Structure formats: C-alpha cells, structure tokens
Amino acid sequence: MANTLAFLVLFAVAGISATIAYDPDALQDICVADLNSAVKVNGFPCKSNVNATDFSFAGLAKPGFITSKFGSLVTTANVMQIPGLNTLGVSMARIDYKPGGLNPPHTHPRGTEMIFVLDGELDVGFITTADILITKTIKKGEIFVFPRGLIHFQKNNGDKPASVIAAFNSQLPGTQVVAVSLFASTPPLTDIVLTMAFQIDTQEVEKIKAGLKS
Ligand SMILES: *[C@@H]1O[C@H](CO)[C@@H](O)[C@H](O)[C@H]1NC(C)=O
C-alpha cells in the first residue's frame, strides 16, 4: 500500500515536471531583462524603463565574420542581446558556414531548434537517445528540426558559403558543444575518464585536447 502511494506520488511529480519542462509562461505582458541586476532568479528580473530598443536587434542582418577552426559562426539573438525576450520563451540565431564549414555536434538543453536555410546547402542531423541518426541534406528555403536536448550538427558540403536562421522555443536555449565540453572543460576532466569513455590512450586524449585549444 505504502509502495503504491509512493509510486502514485512519484508519477504525479513526474507528470507535473513534464508539463513545465519548457520556458515557464509569462505572468505579465512584458518583463524586459535587467541584465545587470545582481538579483538571481530563474531568468532575469524586470527593469522599469523600457522602449523599442529592448525589443529589437539588427545583429542577424549580415553574415558574421568566421574565424573558428570549424569554419562556422553562430550569432545569437536571445535574451542576452534582446532583453525584451525575458519570460517570452522564444529566441533566434543566425549561423554562417564557410565552404566545408561545420557547426560541430552540440545540444541545446533548454530548447527545440528549427533552422531555415537562407543560402547554400547543408548536411544536417540529430541523434536520438536510441543512437539513431536522423539526417538529411537541406537547401535554400528548406527547414529542419532538432528536438530539444538531442545532439545535432550542420555541415556545409558545398563549395559556396551557406547560412541559416534558427528559431528556438526558449529565451536562452543554452549550447553545449560535445567535443569542447568533454575535452576542454575547466578544470579538465581527468584523462582516465576520457581514456576509458572513448577506449583510447592518454596520448590520443592529449592530442584531441591540443587540437581543440590551438
Ligand atoms: C531607449 O532607451 C535607452 C536608454 O535606456 C536610450 O539609449 C535609447 O535611445 C532609447 N531608444 C528609443 C528608441 O527611444
């Protein structure tokens, strides 16, 4: 009996948390983020003097300047750039790719992503928790969806630059790049964790770390 009750309580709690697994609903029309506030809350406290500047951003208008070794650049348009997005549960980004450029495997812990191809052609995909790869080549005008939390990537296999606009159902979806998180964290993961996890030796771990740093 006690077991049944414990099970029901667990089930109810799991059910409730499932219904609030995305950015929470707003409790007022606007809550423009005070990004400089020392107050720590879930999201940001609201500031009082707001105008159209808080709700606009021109940063996605043009291709960004790509310097990364991966040959891609993500320009975000989330609550950090657009304080008016605080509590609204949406954001965007622009991604530019050099010919051959890769947006390396990464996850967004708090948001599902849709991309719309502005230019070029990309091989894209995500991997499910059953380790199934869902992949496709998409071109200008087409859309692809990366479900929340799943590891995904985009690769420009063309000989021309490519670009996409991304939309997220979170004001700050968060990004964790798999290789960087595992091999370039601060402080670093101990080699034994990486040698065992990847079934490689210490020299290979050091080589991967060095490659990500340079
Ligand atoms: C909005 O307010 C900021 C100061 O908080 C000011 O710098 C900016 O010019 C204002 N913009 C408009 C469109 O009124």
XYZ file of all heavy atoms in Angstrom, residues 49 51-53, ligand 1:
42
model
N 12.369 51.046 -16.994
C 12.306 51.946 -18.160
C 12.609 51.164 -19.436
O 13.745 50.761 -19.657
C 13.314 53.089 -18.004
C 12.928 54.002 -16.866
O 11.750 54.307 -16.692
N 13.896 54.396 -16.067
N 11.906 50.594 -23.822
C 11.442 51.150 -25.091
C 11.741 50.155 -26.204
O 12.199 49.034 -25.953
C 12.041 52.543 -25.339
C 13.557 52.498 -25.500
O 14.113 51.497 -25.931
N 14.206 53.611 -25.163
N 11.527 50.573 -27.454
C 11.613 49.656 -28.587
C 12.995 49.024 -28.729
O 13.122 47.911 -29.263
C 11.240 50.385 -29.880
N 14.027 49.728 -28.242
C 15.386 49.181 -28.333
C 15.486 47.821 -27.634
O 16.211 46.940 -28.079
C 16.390 50.173 -27.701
O 16.221 51.431 -28.356
C 17.817 49.716 -27.852
C 15.692 53.680 -25.247
O 16.264 53.951 -24.004
C 17.695 53.961 -23.998
C 18.178 54.213 -22.593
O 17.593 53.318 -21.696
C 18.197 55.021 -24.954
O 19.622 54.947 -25.022
C 17.612 54.808 -26.350
O 17.974 55.846 -27.199
C 16.097 54.694 -26.284
N 15.606 54.319 -27.607
C 14.480 54.800 -28.138
C 14.085 54.197 -29.443
O 13.807 55.625 -27.573
